[in-house]
């Protein structure tokens, strides 16, 4: 990360508060989703969002990109999508006898991959390279993605026909998996008073869009400050124990071995610490508390563990298993 102007904790707290307020004016009743998206952006972690259609997932991501003045692209993933539709292609120039690279829509800052599990494995692999390496390969050339490159992928939990479930290796690349539910009655009623609910303005007008709160450089400043958030040794040990308890529950006095088929990898340990730093910064602190860790454990780990058939038979989800671990392990 290049050197950027330092950002004070007080300025960050005010700026993030304004950002959340801006987002809540656009997306009603999804405060937790908005906070998790901001936390992920603060530390540069990709997000998988699971929820039925119509819960304002796209609206939230678009509003966040506009508030930060970041280029935004949305790609509707379909079974006939090709890797070149995502990464780009090479165009032959007869006059010079050479190939020019035409970058695809993935070369942006904020990429919304809608219904990612509808794309075949080759397309998912191309996205995986971008998420992991910050670059894509077009022909024999490498295209470096912007430093602010950030993937938010969505999937529908109730449709399985014609889908390609994400393999564990790719799921592990997402910092968080967020589950979005229906808003309460008051929030749903308040949605009817939002602009453009019944009459959508033409895309080319853009007159109603408020000015951005920040710019791409400010995102890097936030990230630099997030990396400086302190984590006490006791907190680090707590995080390690939480993750290892998903792999060796009996060692921690938990009777979960028949219910867990696969535990979280060491990458989960790193992800949980990073996410906790972002949560602390969003809360106006430069140090991590156990509350930060516990608040994000399910979001960071639910897609990194696999419940056994026995757990499914008992109606236990990964969130339920993680809840038992959180309740059992002592808090520092």
């Amino acid at each position: 990360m290049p050197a950027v102007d330092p950002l004070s904790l007080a300025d960050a707290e005010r700026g993030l508060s304004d950002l959340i307020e801006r987002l809540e004016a656009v997306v009603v009743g999804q405060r937790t989703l908005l906070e998790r998206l901001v936390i992920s952006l603060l530390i540069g972690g990709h997000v998988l969002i699971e929820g039925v259609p119509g819960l304002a997932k796209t609206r939230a991501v678009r509003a966040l990109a506009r508030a930060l003045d970041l280029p935004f692209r949305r790609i509707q993933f379909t079974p006939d999508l090709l890797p070149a539709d995502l990464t780009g292609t090479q165009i032959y120039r007869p006059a010079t006898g050479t190939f020019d690279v035409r970058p695809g829509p993935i070369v942006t800052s904020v990429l919304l991959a809608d219904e990612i599990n509808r794309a075949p494995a080759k397309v998912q692999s191309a996205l995986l390279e971008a998420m992991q390496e910050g670059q894509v390969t077009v022909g024999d050339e490498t295209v470096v993605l912007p430093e602010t490159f950030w993937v938010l992928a969505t999937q529908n939990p109730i449709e399985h026909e014609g889908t390609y479930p994400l393999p564990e290796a790719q799921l592990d690349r997402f910092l968080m998996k967020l589950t979005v539910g229906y808003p309460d009655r008051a929030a749903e009623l308040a949605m009817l008073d939002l602009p453009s609910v019944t009459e959508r303005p033409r895309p080319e007008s853009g007159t109603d869009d408020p000015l951005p709160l920040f710019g791409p450089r400010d995102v890097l400043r936030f990230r630099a400050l997030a990396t400086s958030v302190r984590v006490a040794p006791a907190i680090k040990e707590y995080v390690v124990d939480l993750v290892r308890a998903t792999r060796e529950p009996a060692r921690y006095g938990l009777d979960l071995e028949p219910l867990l088929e696969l535990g979280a990898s060491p990458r989960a340990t790193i992800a949980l610490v990073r996410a906790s730093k972002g949560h602390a910064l969003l809360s106006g602190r430069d140090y991590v508390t156990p509350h930060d860790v516990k608040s994000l454990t399910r979001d960071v780990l639910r897609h990194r563990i696999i419940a056994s058939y026995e757990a499914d038979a008992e109606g236990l989800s990964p969130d339920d298993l993680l809840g038992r671990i959180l309740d059992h392990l002592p808090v520092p």
Side-chain angles (χ1 to χ4, degrees):
M1 183 181 296
V4 293
D5 299 331
L7 183 68
S8 71
L9 184 63
D11 289 340
E13 184 178 7
R14 285 192 296 270
L16 293 174
S17 177
D18 292 342
L19 179 58
I20 293 293
E21 184 178 346
R22 167 73 65 86
L23 296 177
E24 285 197 300
V26 179
V27 181
V28 178
Q30 298 289 2
R31 171 84 183 201
T32 300
L33 170 65
L34 299 177
E35 289 182 345
R36 299 302 189 260
L37 291 179
V38 171
I39 289 170
S40 301
L41 179 66
L42 286 176
I43 59 177
H46 308 297
V47 181
L48 177 63
I49 309 174
E50 186 174 88
V52 298
L55 295 179
K57 299 184 294 292
T58 302
R59 187 181 181 96
V61 175
R62 191 187 301 274
L64 182 56
R66 285 176 176 171
L68 298 169
D69 199 23
L70 295 175
F72 169 80
R73 292 283 184 90
R74 175 185 174 272
I75 303 176
Q76 181 66 48
F77 278 48
T78 56
D80 60 348
L81 198 69
L82 299 175
D85 298 329
L86 187 67
T87 61
T89 187
Q90 290 184 313
I91 306 297
Y92 180 68
R93 304 296 183 188
T96 60
T98 60
F99 288 89
D100 291 342
V101 172
R102 177 174 292 177
I106 199 173
V107 184
T108 187
S109 287
V110 180
L111 177 69
L112 178 61
D114 225 349
E115 294 190 283
I116 185 176
N117 55 334
R118 290 198 174 276
K122 286 186 177 180
V123 177
Q124 294 180 7
S125 297
L127 183 62
L128 176 61
E129 179 193 3
M131 293 167 58
Q132 185 67 17
E133 307 295 338
Q135 63 184 33
V136 293
T137 302
V138 182
D140 57 354
E141 294 194 31
T142 298
V143 179
V144 179
L145 299 172
E147 288 182 273
T148 50
F149 178 69
W150 186 43
V151 174
L152 295 103
T154 70
Q155 63 181 18
N156 188 334
I158 63 173
E159 291 187 9
H160 302 287
E161 186 176 350
T163 62
Y164 303 81
L166 298 179
E168 283 73 23
Q170 181 152 342
L171 284 172
D172 206 27
R173 263 64 177 188
F174 286 100
L175 175 78
M176 296 187 196
K177 178 183 176 182
L178 306 179
T179 55
V180 185
Y182 292 112
D184 59 29
R185 185 180 185 278
E188 195 163 356
L189 189 61
M191 290 178 188
L192 300 179
D193 295 325
L194 290 177
S196 306
V197 169
T198 57
E199 182 178 351
R200 185 177 299 277
R202 290 177 298 175
E204 63 270 18
S205 66
T207 55
D208 295 331
D209 290 342
L211 294 175
L213 290 173
F214 305 105
R217 187 172 180 84
D218 294 310
V219 175
L220 298 181
R221 297 174 71 198
F222 278 119
R223 289 182 180 177
L225 183 60
T227 59
S228 68
V229 173
R230 293 173 287 122
V231 185
I235 299 293
K236 293 178 181 178
E237 292 185 15
Y238 181 54
V239 171
V240 170
D241 287 338
L242 281 173
V243 175
R244 293 184 67 86
T246 66
R247 302 196 295 260
E248 304 172 297
R251 187 172 190 147
Y252 292 88
L254 287 156
D255 187 21
L256 295 179
E257 285 192 6
L259 305 176
L260 281 166
E261 183 177 330
L262 181 69
S265 72
R267 184 182 281 118
T269 309
I270 300 171
L272 186 51
V273 170
R274 291 178 59 212
S276 299
K277 287 184 175 184
H279 191 277
L281 184 58
L282 185 61
S283 303
R285 286 180 277 102
D286 61 353
Y287 58 91
V288 172
T289 68
H291 173 70
D292 298 318
V293 177
K294 296 186 72 171
S295 297
L296 297 178
T297 295
R298 290 180 176 85
D299 297 320
V300 175
L301 299 186
R302 65 165 57 99
H303 58 296
R304 291 183 162 98
I305 66 174
I306 299 179
S308 68
Y309 288 112
E310 185 174 336
D312 291 338
E314 295 183 19
L316 296 174
S317 68
D319 280 16
D320 295 327
L321 302 179
L322 292 170
R324 292 189 182 184
I325 294 174
L326 287 169
D327 291 340
H328 180 78
L329 291 185
V331 176

